[in-house]
Amino acid sequence: MKALTWQGKRDVRVEDVPDPTIQEPTDAVVRITSSGLCGSDLHLYEVLTPFMTPGDILGHEPMGIVEEVGPEVTNLKPGDRVVVPFQISCGHCFMCSSGLQTQCETTQVTSEHMGAALFGYTRLYGAVPGAQAEYLRVPQAQYGPIKVPEGPSDDRFVYLSDVLPTAWQAVAYADVPRGGTVAVLGLGPIGDMACRIALARGAGRVFGVDLVPERLARARARGVDTYDLRGFDHEKELVAALHDETDGRGPDAVIDAVGTEAHGSSVARLVQQTASAMPRALSGPLAERFSVDRLAALHTAIDLVRRGGTISLSGVYGGSADPLPLLTMFDKQLQIRMGQANVRRWVDDILPCLTDEDPLGVDDFATHRVPLSQAPHAYEMFQRKQDGAVKVLMTP
């Protein structure tokens, strides 16, 4: 089959690889009909290269048609249309039963001291072959895949794999009071969708912050009060402007949908680039023990949120040696919630929004649709924020 493989920093290629097969009785094989390109994939493209191996298959936002199931998968049959969550979870362990599927005790990557295995996401998360491919082997298929109805296009449901539950959890963790205020830092796919969900769940005002004109325009069209970072000489000016809009206090909650890609620290960027350029035997330990993030977005969130407010982190951070302003965080009595989205925990809440009325605007959420053969170009375009690229879907 054809699949997109990682070969090095900013080097991804569509290659012929072996077709996946049933290996365990709880496996399924799914023929992919749509697969998303996620902002997290860009971390593999550039930042997290020490944890990648040439030939790794990328992608973790798939949906498709079940081709084959193992003998213990009794809830699916060939021909079923399914969305596959980005994490692999069993559904019956303590963590899954607690709604923490990203901590699944059956698939935890204990050798790396990490949580549940993820599709297409580094050896830290199991090096499981990903979904930017023609076919996908799905472990724990007795629980993970979400059956969806025939009829609507893939766009209606594909975001259940990651975008929708990640944004939904970001808003839920932010705990925005009804009629309250929330600022969303970063208006990529997750930040954009988090704005939509916050408004749908009753937030009084949503402030969206970014520096890409097309992203700001998309959010503004959905009723978000947008702030262009390019219009401020310093982060403190942005903080002051938003404080002025919230009775001098700051918003009740801030969602950081940027993560370590935030522009800000040249030192952190240098460490990241140095680690990615070193031999693998050295770069992995350096990145694990001494990695630092570019924390501009998180520091802005800490300054911005009101005292007693909540910060919700959905942007990916990977540092181990990051200094944080704990005095300020303690003094402001902040609550901080974070983590990979627990997809199956939120599916029942999200499905009622995926109707023909389309209140979240999923049907036209994608800005680009490309064949798998154009995946390398799509990565470059998305990484450089070219051509108005906000959300890219691939079709094998």
Side-chain angles (χ1 to χ4, degrees):
M1 70 170 183
K2 299 290 186 182
L4 185 72
T5 63
W6 184 92
Q7 298 297 333
K9 183 176 180 179
R10 299 183 188 173
D11 182 4
V12 296
R13 308 173 195 171
V14 177
E15 297 188 324
D16 289 310
V17 301
D19 290 352
T21 60
I22 299 293
Q23 299 178 22
E24 301 291 341
T26 53
D27 284 353
V29 173
V30 173
R31 174 174 57 85
I32 302 301
T33 56
S34 293
S35 190
L37 172 54
C38 178
S40 296
D41 291 325
L42 296 184
H43 297 302
L44 313 183
Y45 193 60
E46 183 166 8
V47 178
L48 297 180
T49 57
F51 305 112
M52 299 294 290
T53 301
D56 284 349
I57 301 175
L58 302 174
H60 59 268
E61 295 188 351
M63 71 175 293
I65 307 299
V66 175
E67 292 284 303
E68 186 180 0
V69 296
E72 294 183 17
V73 181
T74 59
N75 58 317
L76 298 176
K77 65 182 184 303
D80 283 345
R81 189 186 193 196
V82 296
V83 178
V84 182
F86 70 90
Q87 81 254 172
I88 302 168
S89 54
C90 71
H92 56 74
C93 70
F94 172 83
M95 289 296 178
C96 287
S97 300
S98 301
L100 294 169
Q101 288 87 354
T102 55
Q103 311 303 325
C104 175
E105 292 174 322
T106 300
T107 72
Q108 277 181 17
V109 186
T110 54
S111 60
E112 300 288 347
H113 309 289
M114 302 298 280
L118 309 179
F119 288 104
Y121 215 78
T122 82
R123 66 171 173 80
L124 296 179
Y125 289 100
V128 181
Q132 289 166 2
E134 293 181 313
Y135 293 90
L136 176 70
R137 171 183 167 251
V138 181
Q140 302 298 324
Q142 83 290 344
Y143 176 67
I146 304 158
K147 285 200 286 188
V148 296
E150 297 294 336
S153 71
D154 282 7
D155 294 57
R156 180 73 58 87
F157 302 112
V158 66
Y159 305 115
L160 281 170
S161 60
D162 184 349
V163 173
L164 281 166
T166 297
W168 195 280
Q169 179 171 293
V171 175
Y173 279 11
D175 196 24
V176 186
R178 191 162 191 85
T181 54
V182 57
V184 179
L185 306 181
L187 298 175
I190 303 303
D192 185 341
M193 186 57 72
C195 289
R196 302 179 187 204
I197 291 169
L199 287 168
R201 288 173 57 116
R205 293 184 72 183
V206 176
F207 307 103
V209 181
D210 207 292
L211 45 70
V212 180
E214 293 87 353
R215 295 182 176 189
L216 291 161
R218 275 168 60 102
R220 194 179 306 118
R222 304 288 305 193
V224 177
D225 295 318
T226 57
Y227 289 77
D228 188 339
L229 277 175
R230 297 171 303 170
F232 300 92
D233 292 330
H234 194 276
E235 168 261 348
K236 293 187 182 301
E237 293 180 6
L238 170 69
V239 171
L242 283 168
H243 280 199
D244 287 344
E245 295 293 321
T246 52
D247 298 322
R249 298 188 189 95
D252 298 307
V254 176
I255 295 172
D256 174 0
V258 179
T260 193
E261 288 297 316
H263 301 287
S265 171
S266 58
V267 174
R269 183 175 187 178
L270 177 62
V271 172
Q272 291 174 350
Q273 292 177 338
T274 299
S276 66
M278 294 174 68
R280 287 174 50 80
L282 299 176
S283 62
L286 173 67
E288 287 181 78
R289 299 179 185 180
F290 303 109
S291 58
V292 293
D293 289 300
R294 300 165 72 185
L295 294 174
L298 180 53
H299 282 284
T300 298
I302 292 167
D303 290 340
L304 181 57
V305 71
R306 70 163 170 81
R307 292 179 178 272
T310 302
I311 295 173
S312 173
L313 301 183
S314 63
V316 174
Y317 287 98
S320 301
D322 292 321
L324 289 173
L326 290 176
L327 174 62
T328 300
M329 295 161 68
F330 181 84
D331 179 66
K332 291 185 73 172
Q333 203 165 332
L334 302 184
Q335 300 179 70
I336 299 180
R337 300 193 69 182
M338 68 188 80
Q340 304 274 11
N342 304 291
V343 174
R344 290 306 299 258
R345 175 176 178 178
W346 307 111
V347 166
D348 290 344
D349 294 329
I350 297 169
L351 279 173
C353 298
L354 304 183
T355 61
D356 288 342
E357 289 74 25
D358 193 18
L360 299 179
V362 296
D363 286 348
D364 60 359
F365 190 70
T367 55
H368 293 72
R369 295 170 179 81
V370 301
L372 182 64
S373 60
Q374 294 181 17
H377 169 69
Y379 267 75
E380 182 179 8
M381 174 182 66
F382 190 38
Q383 197 265 346
R384 295 185 177 184
K385 299 179 175 63
Q386 296 174 335
D387 194 28
V390 177
K391 188 61 186 178
V392 180
L393 292 181
M394 302 177 191
T395 304

